[in-house]
Amino acid sequence: NLFSLDTFMDEVDISGLTKKEAAEVCRKAIKDRYADVTVTVKIDDKNSIELTGEDLTVADTLDFSLAAVVVK
């Protein structure tokens, strides 16, 4: 099954793609979007840890989300 024309997942055009192709395209877009993110975690008044996009793992629910919009 292919996604219909003008189908988007969070601004990513997945029109004409299979579920597997759409997941790959969306995962790449997520990875690219968060690559330059920096997060600072304050431990106490004197200590903090700075994490970059390379340090972080983005968990997604694409398999569930894409399955919900596929029409069989």
Side-chain angles (χ1 to χ4, degrees), residues 35-55:
D36 295 329
V37 168
T38 300
V39 176
T40 303
V41 179
K42 184 176 177 180
I43 299 168
D44 55 37
D45 288 338
K46 297 180 183 180
N47 298 296
S48 63
I49 298 171
E50 188 169 281
L51 304 168
T52 66
E54 292 179 5
D55 299 317

Side-chain angles (χ1 to χ4, degrees), residues 11-29:
E11 300 179 10
V12 177
D13 187 358
I14 58 171
S15 303
L17 301 179
T18 65
K19 180 179 163 186
K20 182 178 178 182
E21 292 168 333
E24 290 172 6
V25 169
C26 290
R27 283 191 176 97
K28 182 182 181 320

Side-chain angles (χ1 to χ4, degrees), residues 3-15 26 66 69:
F3 286 97
S4 300
L5 184 64
D6 294 326
T7 304
F8 291 81
M9 288 287 291
D10 195 25
E11 300 179 10
V12 177
D13 187 358
I14 58 171
S15 303
C26 290
L66 292 171
V69 296

